Amino acid sequence: MEIVIIGGGLTGLVTAFYLHKGGKRVRILEKSERLGGNIQTFNESGFIFESGPNTGSVSHPEVTELFNDLSPNCEMETASENSKRRLIWKNGRFHALPSGLIGGITTPLFTFPDKFRILGEPFRSKGTDPSESVAQLTRRRLGKSFLDYAVDPFISGIYAGDPDALVTRYALPKLYNLEQNHGSFIKGSIAKAKQTKTERDRLATKKVFSACGGLGQLTSALTKAIGMDNITLSAERIKVRPFENRWQLTYNTPGGEETIYASKVISTVGAYALADMLPFAGKEKMAAIVNLRYAPIVQIAVGIKDTQGIRFNAFGGLIPSCEKRRALGILFPSACFRGRAPEHGALLSFFIGGMKSSLASLTDDELIGLVEEEFHAMLRFPPDKSPDMIRIFRHPYAIPQYEKNSGERFAAVEHLQNLYPGLTLAGNIRDGISMADRILQAATIAKNMQGG
């Protein structure tokens, strides 16, 4: 083979799609019986729901370009105007996160001193600690109430992580660069808004997206374009070794052990699988890569066929950790995208677990009890109303945490790639965790391998 890609999640599929489109001979090796990684869409009893990520952001032009390249087999769907409204739980109810000056002044989410403090944000000195955590940065520039009721729930929604452990430079590089390059968030945002944009730049709209019919349509369209003849499923215990200026890959399938050779190998698997897959690298070289921590997440899809007039006109609600509730957040997919629930119903997605909680280890019965409790207490459904559908999806390695050791990991990846030409370590171990980040990374790798 010319190029072998290990892992058939979004990164692997998009990389293979563009390489195949450019005329390269590509093979995907995927350990499971299906493609898409955590992305999987279900259609049941009038509900269309996801087992993994529900949405992405069109934060890079490559996202729009990918959907354009896949059309008409897959079409992007951007969320309705409702998705602009984000809710934060405080003192027993949800409040809208303010999006303007008046809302910022009147919201009960932030203390008056911190509201006043924001006026001085452009005049504060920029930070000098490159390892400053997201929590430290927020306290320093905005105040504790902004940390508790804006940044903490935001970090729960993106990373399911701990803002005291996540390092801003790695976890939120755009925010870090606003301060470092412009002196403040406000001045940086104003400067960015004034920058001249090309037509391609405008493809990055920052809108929330899915695919028409669910994100499974995206992975299905990619699979169709690549062709199943170029994909091996149920390829377990993959081992990669250098062999006479190329790469030898051995793996087990239901039919027995197989061996193939390739000029180049691209890994998109998680850090936890790399040491066994790359035995030639040695423990010392791999140590800085495999110590990446992952947030465990349980996503629970909840369907209501008739909400009896209760409406969810928002993207969803996030719960700050200081509020001591058991869910990280509740998304409202049917308020954002068409056809996700029956006409008078609703589809919800509960997220449980994360780095600051042990609740991901609850049994199914305990999780159902938790959801039913919050269904009534937080969403205000009457006691005699119960969900019509509950489906539980467990992800023990859901979201990598870009913490203080991330710089060492990025350097170790670069060192290993330089030491062994033809080997690429990709996936969410570097370059960001979002779907848009995965698409950008994949498109960039494919472009570089095609020589331009």
Side-chain angles (χ1 to χ4, degrees):
M1 299 302 303
E2 192 172 2
I3 303 170
V4 171
I5 298 170
I6 304 171
L10 184 61
T11 309
L13 287 172
V14 176
T15 307
F17 168 70
Y18 280 120
L19 288 171
H20 180 71
K21 185 181 178 185
K24 299 292 186 182
R25 290 181 294 112
V26 182
R27 174 160 295 277
I28 293 177
L29 300 181
E30 166 55 46
K31 71 174 182 178
S32 72
E33 298 177 352
R34 51 170 291 274
L35 295 164
N38 285 336
I39 296 176
Q40 189 173 12
T41 302
F42 295 84
N43 194 329
E44 182 181 324
S45 303
F47 299 100
I48 297 175
F49 55 96
E50 310 284 357
S51 68
N54 280 249
T55 65
S57 172
V58 190
S59 52
H60 302 304
E62 285 79 5
V63 176
T64 302
E65 290 169 343
L66 176 64
F67 279 95
N68 290 342
D69 290 336
L70 291 171
S71 181
N73 293 318
C74 180
E75 301 289 345
M76 179 192 292
E77 181 179 8
T78 54
S80 68
E81 287 299 305
N82 290 332
S83 67
K84 293 182 178 180
R85 189 166 175 261
R86 313 296 173 97
L87 306 178
I88 304 292
W89 184 267
K90 184 177 184 180
N91 295 336
R93 61 184 287 261
F94 280 117
H95 303 268
L97 189 67
S99 58
L101 178 61
I102 300 301
I105 294 172
T106 60
T107 181
L109 293 174
F110 313 127
T111 64
F112 180 76
D114 282 351
K115 292 176 186 178
F116 187 76
R117 179 181 170 81
I118 196 96
L119 298 175
E121 194 274 337
F123 308 103
R124 291 192 183 93
S125 299
K126 66 182 180 181
T128 58
D129 179 5
S131 296
E132 187 175 38
S133 73
V134 174
Q136 289 170 326
L137 173 71
T138 307
R139 292 189 195 99
R140 177 171 58 80
R141 295 208 71 87
L142 302 175
K144 187 176 184 301
S145 66
F146 278 89
L147 172 62
D148 289 343
Y149 288 99
V151 173
D152 174 89
F154 169 77
I155 289 297
S156 292
I158 301 298
Y159 276 94
D162 181 353
D164 280 298
L166 293 167
V167 172
T168 311
R169 181 161 60 113
Y170 306 127
L172 300 173
K174 291 182 179 179
L175 187 68
Y176 177 80
N177 289 331
L178 280 182
E179 184 191 29
Q180 292 301 307
N181 296 336
H182 302 280
S184 88
F185 304 150
I186 293 175
K187 288 193 290 188
S189 299
I190 293 171
K192 295 282 284 185
K194 290 180 178 179
Q195 289 178 352
T196 302
K197 293 185 178 180
T198 66
E199 286 299 319
R200 186 169 185 270
D201 291 336
R202 293 190 181 94
L203 296 178
T205 64
K206 298 185 180 179
K207 290 183 178 180
V208 172
F209 79 89
S210 180
C212 294
L215 289 168
Q217 298 298 316
L218 173 58
T219 56
S220 293
L222 288 165
T223 302
K224 180 180 178 181
I226 297 163
M228 285 304 299
D229 290 346
N230 299 308
I231 297 169
T232 300
L233 299 177
S234 301
E236 298 183 330
R237 293 185 290 281
I238 299 170
K239 302 289 184 184
V240 180
R241 296 177 178 88
F243 182 85
E244 297 180 356
N245 296 320
R246 53 182 173 160
W247 295 93
Q248 180 192 69
L249 297 95
T250 59
Y251 53 93
N252 290 84
T253 70
E257 184 176 277
E258 297 187 16
T259 300
I260 60 175
Y261 298 88
S263 300
K264 296 178 180 178
V265 172
I266 302 169
S267 166
T268 68
V269 304
Y272 49 85
L274 283 173
D276 288 340
M277 195 180 76
L278 307 175
F280 65 89
K283 291 184 179 179
E284 186 177 341
K285 291 188 183 71
M286 296 301 298
I289 301 175
V290 301
N291 64 3
L292 175 61
R293 298 200 303 164
Y294 288 77
I297 294 290
V298 180
Q299 181 183 182
I300 305 173
V302 175
I304 309 105
K305 292 182 178 179
D306 186 351
T307 65
Q308 298 174 346
I310 296 177
R311 291 288 174 259
F312 303 98
N313 296 320
F315 178 77
L318 294 172
I319 298 101
S321 55
C322 64
E323 289 289 319
K324 306 299 183 184
R325 299 204 74 89
R326 296 194 291 169
L328 292 171
I330 310 168
L331 300 187
F332 309 146
S334 58
C336 301
F337 303 111
R338 299 183 299 273
R340 301 301 170 102
E343 183 179 357
H344 300 293
L347 174 68
L348 313 173
S349 285
F350 284 72
F351 290 86
I352 313 294
M355 298 302 291
K356 299 168 74 173
S357 167
S358 61
L359 296 178
S361 61
L362 293 178
T363 67
D364 284 3
D365 286 344
E366 288 171 330
L367 288 168
I368 290 171
L370 185 160
V371 166
E372 290 180 338
E373 178 184 331
E374 303 296 39
F375 182 79
H376 297 109
M378 300 186 75
L379 301 179
R380 306 294 195 240
F381 280 98
D384 60 344
K385 180 70 176 176
S386 297
D388 297 293
M389 179 200 75
I390 297 179
R391 298 291 179 267
I392 298 171
F393 304 99
R394 297 177 182 271
H395 303 289
Y397 298 101
I399 307 174
Q401 302 296 296
Y402 282 21
E403 299 173 333
K404 188 173 289 189
N405 59 9
S406 295
E408 295 177 3
R409 181 173 71 257
F410 302 154
V413 167
E414 191 72 20
H415 175 70
L416 200 63
Q417 291 179 153
N418 291 334
L419 201 59
Y420 297 97
L423 175 67
T424 300
L425 301 185
N428 58 23
I429 63 171
R430 62 179 176 92
D431 299 336
I433 66 166
S434 71
M435 284 200 292
D437 293 331
R438 302 293 86 245
I439 293 169
L440 169 61
Q441 184 194 65
T444 302
I445 290 171
K447 182 178 180 181
N448 290 340
M449 286 194 175
Q450 288 163 346

